[in-house]
Amino acid sequence: AYVQQSLEDFFVRKGIDLSSFFAKGFSCPIVHVEADYRKRLELRDEITIVLDLIEVGNSSLSFCINGIGMSL
């Protein structure tokens, strides 16, 4: 849920109206995800998701996504 919300926020900040985007027949499937977990999240932990666009391909976008600032 954290990553999905971060991706949606990214597109909104870039001025992309996702409702119009999808209504025009475009899609944005997530087809590959990797994760390296350094600590586990507990219920009520607060984190900040940092999403960086690292590569733009012909039909793809690559992001680096980090969760920081866990309150333990």
Side-chain angles (χ1 to χ4, degrees):
Y2 295 113
V3 172
Q4 183 65 38
Q5 185 62 52
S6 296
L7 287 168
E8 291 177 17
D9 292 347
F10 170 83
F11 288 115
V12 168
R13 284 192 311 274
K14 296 298 180 186
I16 298 170
D17 177 11
L18 292 175
S19 297
S20 296
F21 181 81
F22 295 128
K24 292 177 183 175
F26 294 107
S27 65
C28 191
I30 297 173
V31 295
H32 180 82
V33 176
E34 291 182 30
D36 293 321
Y37 295 95
R38 294 188 177 97
K39 293 182 182 179
R40 69 178 182 217
L41 285 174
E42 299 287 345
L43 192 60
R44 295 188 182 91
D45 280 346
E46 294 183 16
I47 62 170
T48 299
I49 300 295
V50 178
L51 185 142
D52 294 309
L53 178 62
I54 58 172
E55 185 177 348
V56 177
N58 291 328
S59 62
S60 66
L61 301 172
S62 295
F63 295 94
C64 178
I65 303 167
N66 289 294
I68 59 171
M70 290 177 51
S71 62
L72 299 174

